[in-house]
Amino acid sequence: MRSVVESKKLKVFNIGTSWFVRPIEDQGLEVYNIDWSPPVKIDKDILSILKKLGRK
């Protein structure tokens, strides 16, 4: 009996750290890399200025 992993082509979604992609691809797996990083915290005064400038 074959396992689920053996009977289906595995697809991997990588979020953030792109250096994980190459080793996964080297194993012949399909990788979708999502470029993401946590949102940056912005000081309230700076955010207010950016809103006034139409940047946020």
Side-chain angles (χ1 to χ4, degrees):
M1 176 187 265
R2 290 171 41 177
S3 71
V4 174
V5 174
E6 291 174 335
S7 64
K8 297 184 183 231
K9 184 166 173 107
L10 188 62
K11 295 179 183 177
V12 178
F13 290 83
N14 179 62
I15 300 174
T17 310
S18 62
W19 51 270
F20 281 120
V21 173
R22 181 70 187 257
I24 296 169
E25 288 175 331
D26 289 347
Q27 295 180 48
L29 299 173
E30 190 171 353
V31 182
Y32 298 92
N33 190 46
I34 300 167
D35 187 16
W36 180 86
S37 61
V40 178
K41 290 186 178 182
I42 299 176
D43 182 83
K44 289 180 182 179
D45 293 333
I46 294 173
L47 183 58
S48 175
I49 292 167
L50 290 173
K51 284 182 178 179
K52 289 176 184 175
L53 293 172
R55 306 276 179 163
K56 187 74 178 159

